[in-house]
Amino acid sequence: APAAPPAPLGCDDPEAEAAAEVALSYINSHSHHGYKFALNRIENIRVLPQKPGDDIMLLELDLLETTCHILSPMPVENCTVRSFREHAVEGDCDVKLQKLDGKLSVLASKCHSHADSSEDVLQLCPDCPLLASLNNTEVLTTVKAALDDHNSKNADAYLRLLEIGRAKIQYAPAHVVYVEFAVAATNCSAEAAKENVEACQLLPDDQSNFGFCTATKVISPAQDFQVDCHLYGHQVPASDSAFLCQDTS
Amino acid sequence: AVAKRAVAKVAQHDKVPRPVGFVPPPPPCPGRIRHFKI
């Protein structure tokens, strides 16, 4: 008599969690923009047996944005998940994995991210600032002012903007713009950049030194401006050899 | 004349009594929420 089919894998089973961990590593290491994501919930898992010792696993994951930029060397396990009050962003991912002789590898992944609704945030936290569009004029001027401020006060490498990661604007009780952005060191010192900023180029990938800045600009009732930038240190590009990637989007 | 037909009685399955303290297993999916649900 044929053997009974194995019981379906539960979303909290160790095997499902191991697959989700591999999938999360893959998603974070193959993303080049925004922030690292942390696992919030395994929504569903399906195992499609192919041959003995060869299974295809289909995972649906619910992820949450962390405070670590994707270029940060910090392992995602040490990254703080954005709180609800910070206007959380969720990622929904479908991942296809292969489990061959016990070894997991990702074959494909597809993710969509979306911010929590403003109504939800305001319901629990009426004074919390909400996410603003990254091309908002106030956001862009704040980012430029923050980078100029940092470069004018530091004699080290002249920093260039890589991307704006997040921006929030609060209108009451105070008018405040919060921005976060990724930067990269150029081949110029801040002093040399004053002479000819156009000549300042980003360093090649193998010498790149990325960083991250946060800035808070209080516009009213009293003006204030705080900028904090730090460089991650020299980064070696991550190898993809740990994953057998055939297709991803 | 109206004849009254016999209606088959629905079989009542004997319910297996659950032992005291029995906690039903959680549904296999979705899994636990690690942080919070949006």
Side-chain angles (χ1 to χ4, degrees):
Chain A
L9 205 55
C11 281
D12 286 336
D13 288 354
E15 199 178 335
E17 299 206 341
E21 201 172 308
V22 171
L24 186 67
S25 280
Y26 178 90
I27 290 164
N28 282 328
S29 65
H30 284 72
S31 173
H32 304 291
H33 300 283
Y35 297 86
K36 295 186 184 190
F37 277 90
L39 180 63
N40 190 35
R41 174 147 89 162
I42 300 172
E43 295 285 348
N44 201 7
I45 183 165
R46 281 197 298 148
V47 180
L48 310 174
Q50 306 294 296
K51 290 180 287 185
D54 182 4
D55 292 333
I56 293 293
M57 300 172 94
L58 304 174
L59 269 179
E60 291 174 35
L61 302 178
D62 174 34
L63 311 179
L64 284 173
E65 189 186 76
T66 69
T67 56
C68 292
H69 191 266
I70 204 75
L71 296 171
S72 164
M74 181 83 80
V76 71
E77 305 82 61
N78 299 344
C79 296
T80 307
V81 169
R82 297 268 182 196
S83 70
F84 194 82
R85 298 170 66 89
E86 283 184 281
H87 203 161
V89 171
E90 183 182 40
D92 293 315
C93 294
D94 294 319
V95 189
K96 182 179 181 182
L97 301 103
Q98 183 182 35
K99 188 172 187 184
L100 189 58
D101 298 329
K103 190 170 184 297
L104 285 161
S105 56
V106 175
L107 301 177
S109 71
K110 186 175 69 177
C111 294
H112 298 285
S113 65
H114 59 92
D116 192 5
S117 77
S118 301
E119 290 76 16
D120 284 357
V121 179
L122 291 177
Q123 200 170 10
L124 285 181
C125 179
D127 290 336
C128 282
L130 296 174
L131 282 174
S133 168
L134 299 181
N135 58 12
N136 176 292
T137 308
E138 280 189 306
V139 170
L140 295 174
T141 54
T142 304
V143 168
K144 185 177 184 317
L147 201 47
D148 288 348
D149 182 83
H150 175 86
N151 281 326
S152 68
K153 291 176 180 169
N154 288 274
D156 304 333
Y158 180 79
L159 301 185
R160 273 201 161 173
L161 175 68
L162 279 182
E163 67 170 16
I164 305 173
R166 243 177 180 258
K168 291 184 294 180
I169 300 181
Q170 184 179 24
Y171 293 99
H175 186 178
V176 189
V177 182
Y178 305 90
V179 293
E180 297 180 7
F181 53 96
V183 292
T186 64
N187 56 354
C188 291
S189 65
E191 195 61 34
K194 287 179 190 166
E195 303 293 324
N196 183 10
V197 71
E198 298 303 319
C200 301
Q201 301 295 320
L202 296 179
L203 298 168
D205 275 354
D206 59 346
Q207 300 167 31
S208 56
N209 192 358
F210 301 117
F212 191 69
C213 298
T214 57
T216 303
K217 185 180 182 184
V218 184
I219 297 164
S220 67
Q223 293 197 346
D224 186 33
F225 195 33
Q226 289 181 9
V227 182
D228 177 42
C229 291
H230 69 274
L231 290 172
Y232 296 134
H234 176 66
Q235 298 295 298
V236 177
S239 165
D240 290 345
S241 60
F243 303 100
L244 302 172
C245 169
Q246 290 182 344
D247 175 36
T248 186
S249 60
Chain B
V2 177
K4 189 177 178 183
R5 291 185 179 173
V7 177
K9 200 176 177 183
V10 177
Q12 295 285 321
H13 293 289
D14 291 338
K15 286 186 178 174
V16 179
R18 288 177 173 175
V20 178
F22 173 81
V23 179
C29 283
R32 66 188 168 92
I33 295 173
R34 288 156 178 78
H35 303 282
F36 54 88
K37 185 69 186 160
I38 290 184

